Amino acid sequence: MSPAGGKRRTSGGLFWDLLTFDQLISGSIIHLIYWAGLGVIALMGFFVIGASAGLALHNDGLAGWLLAIPALIGGILAVLALGLLWRASCEFYVAVLRISDDLRALRANDDAVTQATLQKNQPPR
């Protein structure tokens, strides 16, 4: 753990921080996973639109359209719900990671207060 009140400076820099887990890369990775998952959900939306258009074109007359419109609306609502659930799960993961950062800051603050108290209570020489 780095000393209270400042960051440890080493010649390794970022590489050393990654090896010692002083800097977590999970936050950056979860953002990439979020956008990839959102892309998959968008593809599902395009599939729903294509399926409902195919349903409307495959069945002649009014019956095809009466089947396609509810399928389109239901599919779009399902895709929107999936998007919200995906966002919520990714935000939960990021919140858990931020708790770790907050605990590290609280620990550093506690160490600084403890050191200041010890120095204050030392008898003069």
Side-chain angles (χ1 to χ4, degrees):
M1 179 143 166
S2 63
K7 288 192 171 189
R8 177 181 50 204
R9 301 285 181 210
T10 61
S11 61
L14 178 64
F15 184 69
W16 180 255
D17 286 344
L18 292 176
L19 284 179
T20 59
F21 292 96
D22 284 341
Q23 181 179 356
L24 300 177
I25 60 171
S26 301
S28 301
I29 291 174
I30 193 65
H31 286 100
L32 293 174
I33 292 172
Y34 168 72
W35 285 108
L38 207 58
V40 169
I41 291 172
L43 280 175
M44 286 182 193
F46 291 130
F47 292 150
V48 165
I49 293 170
S52 62
L55 185 63
L57 294 175
H58 181 68
N59 295 326
D60 293 332
L62 186 62
W65 287 102
L66 289 176
L67 288 174
I69 291 175
L72 178 67
I73 292 172
I76 288 175
L77 289 175
V79 166
L80 290 175
L82 279 175
L84 288 175
L85 286 173
W86 181 245
R87 173 72 184 215
S89 64
C90 289
E91 283 183 3
F92 174 75
Y93 187 70
V94 169
V96 169
L97 292 175
R98 296 237 171 112
I99 289 171
S100 170
D101 292 338
D102 291 342
L103 288 175
R104 182 178 290 135
L106 287 172
R107 188 179 304 127
N109 185 32
D110 185 47
D111 290 344
V113 168
T114 303
Q115 285 180 356
T117 304
L118 289 175
Q119 289 176 354
K120 184 179 178 183
N121 292 333
Q122 285 184 348
R125 293 183 194 201

